[in-house]
């Protein structure tokens, strides 16, 4: 797969749409161990987490349920990070034969973390569009107008991020930037690194 901004957004949109057809997990349509598969799974995790984040903010849920939801969010955050690092591994392979120029620059954000932002942005766009399309009495004209203005900004961000991804890949291809990734080194889920966990052993 030749990854570019348009292709990534298309896969994220497909995942968001598929989940919302039944508001439930759904099978990945792409072959395993492909870049498309990881991008689809990445957004799938983001979509599930989005709705759990909504649920945990309900004022009527019991404390035990809040704890259970928070632990689900922690697990999803770890899954999200793991998939971002898989995406970065794909990028490293894509450009492994490119020799950076002597004055090649670094980029603090890896392509995969840029893709992470793009994935979540598609969820923002989907749900903001839902607000714009509301017909129920609780959605005032002022609410609709505010959401429409926000949607315009989000759509502009989509265009900008697609351009940023394409320009970053072009810089890698031309040796203008060094391909280097920065691992997150998450500690809170690791029983050997989180003192609140290893002190319980």
């Amino acid at each position: 797969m030749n990854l570019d901004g348009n292709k990534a957004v298309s896969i994220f949109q497909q995942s968001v749409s598929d989940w919302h057809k039944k508001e439930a997990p759904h099978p990945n349509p792409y072959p395993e161990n492909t870049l498309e598969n990881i991008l689809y799974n990445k957004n799938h995790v983001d979509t599930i987490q989005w709705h759990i984040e909504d649920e945990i903010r309900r004022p009527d849920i019991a404390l035990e349920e809040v704890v259970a939801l928070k632990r689900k969010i922690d697990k999803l955050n770890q899954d999200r990070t793991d998939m971002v690092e898989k995406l970065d591994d794909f990028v490293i392979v894509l450009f492994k034969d490119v020799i950076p120029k002597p004055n090649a620059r670094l980029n603090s954000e890896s392509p995969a973390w840029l893709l992470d932002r793009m994935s979540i942005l598609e969820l923002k766009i989907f749900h903001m569009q839902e607000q714009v399309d509301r017909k129920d009495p609780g959605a005032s004209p002022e609410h609709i107008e505010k959401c429409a203005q926000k949607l315009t900004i989000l759509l502009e961000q989509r265009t900008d991020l697609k351009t940023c991804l394409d320009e970053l890949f072009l810089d890698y291809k031309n040796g203008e930037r060094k391909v280097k990734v920065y691992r997150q080194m998450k500690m809170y889920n690791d029983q050997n690194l989180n003192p609140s966990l290893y002190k319980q052993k």
Side-chain angles (χ1 to χ4, degrees):
M1 171 184 177
N2 291 321
L3 181 61
D4 58 30
N6 283 326
K7 182 66 174 177
V9 166
S10 175
I11 293 171
F12 294 150
Q13 288 173 326
Q14 181 183 3
S15 169
V16 172
S17 175
D18 286 348
W19 194 92
H20 284 90
K21 286 173 184 174
K22 295 183 178 179
E23 295 199 351
H26 45 83
N28 190 317
Y30 296 102
E32 287 191 23
N33 301 315
T34 62
L35 188 51
E36 294 94 335
N37 180 282
I38 297 174
L39 288 169
Y40 190 92
N41 276 344
K42 167 72 181 67
N43 181 268
H44 191 185
V45 168
D46 293 336
T47 303
I48 292 170
Q49 183 167 343
W50 177 285
H51 292 88
I52 292 177
E53 295 274 11
D54 278 353
E55 283 297 304
I56 204 172
R57 286 166 174 79
R58 283 173 41 206
D60 62 327
I61 60 175
L63 182 59
E64 307 83 55
E65 191 175 352
V66 171
V67 173
L69 290 172
K70 179 63 174 75
R71 288 184 174 161
K72 284 183 180 179
I73 289 169
D74 280 349
K75 173 64 167 61
L76 289 164
N77 268 327
Q78 188 64 59
D79 291 344
R80 171 189 171 205
T81 300
D82 291 346
M83 276 185 279
V84 166
E85 295 192 348
K86 275 188 179 181
L87 287 170
D88 271 334
D89 289 340
F90 266 94
V91 172
I92 289 171
V93 172
L94 279 175
F95 298 102
K96 64 182 175 60
D97 296 326
V98 176
I99 300 174
K101 294 178 180 178
N103 61 343
R105 296 162 291 162
L106 288 171
N107 208 62
S108 63
E109 182 180 58
S110 74
W113 283 109
L114 177 52
L115 286 161
D116 174 74
R117 291 170 62 198
M118 294 169 71
S119 173
I120 294 168
L121 181 61
E122 288 310 309
L123 284 160
K124 292 180 181 180
I125 290 171
F126 182 91
H127 290 98
M128 196 63 71
Q129 184 68 61
E130 277 190 331
Q131 293 300 312
V132 171
D133 294 339
R134 280 177 64 183
K135 306 296 183 187
D136 60 281
S140 67
E142 292 78 15
H143 173 79
I144 301 297
E145 177 59 27
K146 284 182 181 178
C147 290
Q149 292 171 4
K150 291 178 180 179
L151 180 60
T152 298
I153 295 170
L154 292 172
L155 292 171
E156 181 181 348
Q157 290 177 7
R158 173 199 278 165
T159 299
D160 290 347
L161 290 182
K162 287 195 298 183
T163 300
C164 288
L165 183 70
D166 292 344
E167 289 179 350
L168 182 56
F169 280 155
L170 183 61
D171 282 350
Y172 283 164
K173 181 180 177 181
N174 294 334
E176 301 288 347
R177 289 186 188 271
K178 297 177 184 177
V179 180
K180 186 173 183 179
V181 300
Y182 298 90
R183 304 301 188 185
Q184 290 294 298
M185 311 296 184
K186 295 283 188 184
M187 300 175 72
Y188 57 81
N189 282 329
D190 193 320
Q191 295 198 11
N192 295 313
L193 296 176
N194 182 341
S196 295
L197 296 178
Y198 64 68
K199 287 180 180 179
Q200 300 298 316
K201 291 183 178 180

